[in-house]
């Protein structure tokens, strides 16, 4: 049987992704690597950008390819305190030279870190359980919620992404039609954008949740949980009004369910207004899931919850994760917390983020294909539309902008249904000079890609 090649392999199309038709124009070295990926790596792997980037090294908010080109990374929240931050590198190297083992042994470091991490949360959230990835964290959160409530029904937003385990893929509409939702899952729409006020947004969400609960019950499911990304990042980076998470929590509780805040993307100070995105909404979740930026690229994630929510699960179910909470990931996580505090990166996210948002609104104002610019801290969404009258989303233009920026060594992404908005989410060390470079390149790209 012939082996598949990059030109023949069929995979679901990824927003802002490489496709087989892009292969022919790639340099010989890139073509070779892409072809080798196709015959060596397992199913589902895909690459960013129509012209993939070969990354050789990184530092701060910058990535470098094999030719030494400097890419401004305005997308990667995994390296939250910057690529290869020396404090994280040193902490990991020192711990690797001592021991790396799991939570079934007594170790002081996990207790010190857990107390430090929990100090950033409301007092009600007083227990933490470690996993390796955000997907695992959300999977565990669902298990605990089901055990606590005795119910199965889940409500998510219409284009949510919560991970890739079997259970979590079933509640991730953004994975597309080839990854169907579970029969126990209902979706609600996000009402933001276009200046909607807080009361209208709250009423919309209340009606949506009640309708979803009623439909679940009609089909034999009681509500287990409402789970929401605290900044609705895959739905469009909807940051205002910051009132609706409290409505979701209230309605979840009225229906006998829990409210789970997914902080995998907005957490660890990214919004520039405290450590956690849910705090902007004046709500205390029952369970919080965290990951990605927690270890600056070292796989570590967790759930944080009220002890009464997890108590019966812990007494009845054996849960163990070989690598979740082991020595090296905890060392990385502690270094990340220390750097965020020592370098005042939450304040940096606020100040640089607001500068970016203000300047983006100014420079995009004359362009009819630019809709709303939204954001909080260093998490920004920019709507790309077919025209200013209809405000219809335009994923084709959004991808063209992303690809043009990449060709000029600036990395952002597109997201949402059909890739309709630009997603700007740089490391927290992104400074004013980085922001100025992004703004200049963005302005130049609009001139090349759009027409007034």
């Amino acid at each position: 049987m012939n082996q598949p090649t990059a030109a023949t392999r069929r995979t679901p199309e990824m927003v802002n992704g490489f496709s087989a038709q892009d292969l022919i124009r790639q340099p010989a070295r890139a073509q070779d690597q892409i072809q080798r990926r196709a015959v060596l790596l397992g199913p589902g792997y895909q690459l960013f950008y129509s012209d993939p980037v070969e990354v050789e090294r990184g530092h701060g908010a910058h990535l470098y390819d094999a030719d030494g080109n400097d890419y401004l990374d305005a997308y990667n929240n995994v390296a939250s305190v910057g690529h290869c931050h020396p404090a994280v590198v040193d902490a990991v190297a020192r711990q690797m030279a001592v021991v790396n083992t799991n939570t079934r042994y007594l170790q002081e470091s996990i207790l010190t870190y857990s107390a430090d991490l929990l100090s950033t949360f409301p007092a009600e959230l007083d227990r933490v359980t470690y996993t390796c990835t955000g997907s695992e964290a959300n999977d565990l959160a669902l298990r605990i919620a089901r055990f606590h409530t005795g119910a199965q029904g889940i409500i998510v937003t219409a284009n949510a992404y919560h991970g890739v385990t079997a259970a979590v893929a079933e509640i991730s509409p953004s994975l597309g039609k080839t990854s169907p939702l579970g029969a126990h899952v209902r979706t609600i729409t996000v009402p933001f954008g276009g200046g909607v006020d807080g009361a209208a947004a709250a009423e919309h969400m209340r009606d949506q949740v009640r309708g979803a609960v009623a439909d679940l019950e009609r089909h034999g499911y009681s509500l287990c949980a409402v789970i929401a990304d605290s900044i609705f990042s895959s739905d469009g980076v909807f940051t205002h009004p910051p009132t609706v998470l409290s409505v979701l929590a209230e309605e979840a509780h009225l229906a006998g369910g829990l409210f789970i805040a997914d902080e995998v993307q907005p957490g660890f100070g990214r919004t520039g207004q405290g450590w956690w995105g849910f705090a902007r909404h004046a709500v205390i979740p029952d369970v919080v899931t965290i990951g990605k930026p927690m270890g600056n690229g070292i796989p570590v994630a967790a759930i944080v919850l009220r002890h009464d929510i997890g108590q019966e699960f812990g007494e009845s179910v054996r849960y163990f994760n070989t690598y979740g909470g082991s020595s090296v990931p905890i060392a990385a996580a502690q270094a990340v917390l220390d750097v965020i505090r020592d370098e005042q990166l939450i304040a940096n996210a606020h100040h640089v983020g607001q500068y970016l948002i203000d300047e983006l609104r100014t420079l995009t104002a004359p362009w009819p294909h630019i809709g709303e610019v939204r954001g909080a801290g260093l998490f920004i969404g920019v709507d790309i539309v077919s025209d200013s009258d209809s405000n219809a989303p335009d994923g084709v233009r959004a991808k063209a902008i992303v690809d043009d920026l990449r060709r000029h060594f600036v990395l952002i992404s597109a997201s949402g249904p059909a890739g309709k908005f630009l997603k700007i989410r740089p490391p927290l060390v992104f400074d004013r000079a980085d922001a100025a470079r992004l703004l200049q390149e963005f302005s130049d790209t609009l001139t090349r890609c759009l027409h007034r």
Side-chain angles (χ1 to χ4, degrees), residues 16 49 51 53 61-63 69-75 401-413 423-424 426 430 434-445 448:
N16 185 36
Y49 308 111
D51 299 316
V53 179
H62 301 263
L63 292 169
N69 292 307
D70 174 358
Y71 292 81
L72 180 64
D73 186 355
Y75 180 64
I401 291 169
V402 170
D403 280 337
D404 188 80
L405 281 168
R406 173 261 175 268
R407 292 179 187 118
H408 291 84
F409 309 109
V410 174
L411 305 179
I412 66 167
S413 189
K423 191 173 182 180
I424 301 171
F430 209 72
D434 296 326
R437 177 179 168 188
L438 171 61
L439 291 165
Q440 182 60 60
E441 294 293 350
F442 195 88
S443 179
D444 293 345
T445 286
R448 286 187 292 266

Side-chain angles (χ1 to χ4, degrees), residues 130-438:
Y130 295 98
T131 65
C132 299
T133 68
S135 294
E136 285 184 346
N138 280 325
D139 191 285
L140 178 59
L142 293 182
R143 287 183 65 190
I144 291 174
R146 286 171 179 146
F147 202 94
H148 181 77
T149 64
Q152 295 290 321
I154 304 293
I155 297 174
V156 298
T157 56
N159 203 58
Y161 173 71
H162 294 294
V164 294
T165 69
V168 179
E170 286 188 330
I171 66 165
S172 295
S174 67
L175 293 176
K177 295 179 181 179
T178 55
S179 183
L181 300 181
H184 60 293
V185 179
R186 297 295 182 274
T187 62
I188 56 177
T189 60
V190 181
F192 310 128
V196 64
D197 66 31
E203 191 63 25
H204 173 90
M205 296 300 267
R206 195 178 304 281
D207 289 345
Q208 289 272 299
V209 174
R210 290 181 179 181
V213 169
D215 193 58
L216 282 167
E217 291 176 346
R218 189 176 302 117
H219 289 84
Y221 297 102
S222 297
L223 183 67
C224 170
V226 177
I227 179 169
D229 175 332
S230 299
I231 205 166
F232 304 100
S233 57
S234 294
D235 291 280
V237 187
F238 292 115
T239 57
H240 293 81
T243 54
V244 296
L245 292 184
S246 59
V247 175
L248 295 183
E250 181 182 336
E251 291 299 320
H253 294 156
L254 286 172
L258 301 181
F259 174 59
I260 302 171
D262 184 335
E263 291 280 336
V264 171
Q265 293 194 60
F268 289 95
R270 175 152 297 279
T271 66
Q273 299 176 49
W275 284 93
W276 309 107
F278 66 77
R280 299 176 59 245
H281 292 250
V283 64
I284 299 176
D286 299 300
V287 182
V288 179
T289 58
I290 57 179
K292 287 190 197 301
M294 189 172 175
N296 212 53
I298 297 295
V300 58
I303 68 167
V304 177
L305 72 166
R306 300 195 333 249
H307 71 274
D308 58 302
I309 296 292
Q311 183 172 355
E312 191 175 356
F313 177 88
E315 291 172 350
S316 305
V317 177
R318 229 178 103 201
Y319 177 78
F320 174 63
N321 188 314
T322 301
Y323 298 112
S326 57
S327 322
V328 168
I330 290 296
Q334 184 67 68
V336 168
L337 274 193
D338 293 342
V339 169
I340 291 173
R341 288 197 187 99
D342 294 347
E343 298 185 11
Q344 300 180 24
L345 294 184
I346 297 176
N348 185 70
H350 172 72
H351 294 301
V352 176
Q354 194 58 56
Y355 167 70
L356 262 177
I357 293 166
D358 292 342
E359 293 298 313
L360 282 168
R361 285 173 175 160
T362 297
L363 75 85
T364 59
W367 295 96
H369 297 299
I370 304 293
E372 190 174 48
V373 176
R374 297 179 296 274
L378 286 172
F379 212 139
I380 301 168
V382 181
D383 286 336
I384 305 301
V385 298
S386 57
D387 59 80
S388 55
D389 293 328
S390 69
N391 240 20
D394 193 334
V396 173
R397 281 192 175 91
K399 180 171 172 55
I401 291 169
V402 170
D403 280 337
D404 188 80
L405 281 168
R406 173 261 175 268
R407 292 179 187 118
H408 291 84
F409 309 109
V410 174
L411 305 179
I412 66 167
S413 189
S415 192
K420 66 181 182 178
F421 75 94
L422 306 179
K423 191 173 182 180
I424 301 171
R425 189 191 53 182
L428 299 181
V429 294
F430 209 72
D431 61 23
R432 285 289 288 260
D434 296 326
R437 177 179 168 188
L438 171 61

Side-chain angles (χ1 to χ4, degrees), residues 77-165:
N77 74 320
V78 177
S80 58
V81 298
H83 295 283
C84 302
H85 193 290
V88 180
V89 172
D90 181 60
V92 169
R94 282 188 289 108
Q95 187 61 52
M96 279 291 289
V98 178
V99 69
N100 185 30
T101 192
N102 63 59
T103 55
R104 284 179 167 168
Y105 300 95
L106 289 173
Q107 296 185 79
E108 186 64 30
S109 58
I110 193 172
L111 303 178
T112 301
Y113 176 72
S114 297
D116 199 1
L117 177 68
L118 290 172
S119 74
T120 68
F121 284 89
E124 293 88 340
L125 296 164
D126 58 359
R127 296 291 190 277
V128 55
T129 300
Y130 295 98
T131 65
C132 299
T133 68
S135 294
E136 285 184 346
N138 280 325
D139 191 285
L140 178 59
L142 293 182
R143 287 183 65 190
I144 291 174
R146 286 171 179 146
F147 202 94
H148 181 77
T149 64
Q152 295 290 321
I154 304 293
I155 297 174
V156 298
T157 56
N159 203 58
Y161 173 71
H162 294 294
V164 294
T165 69

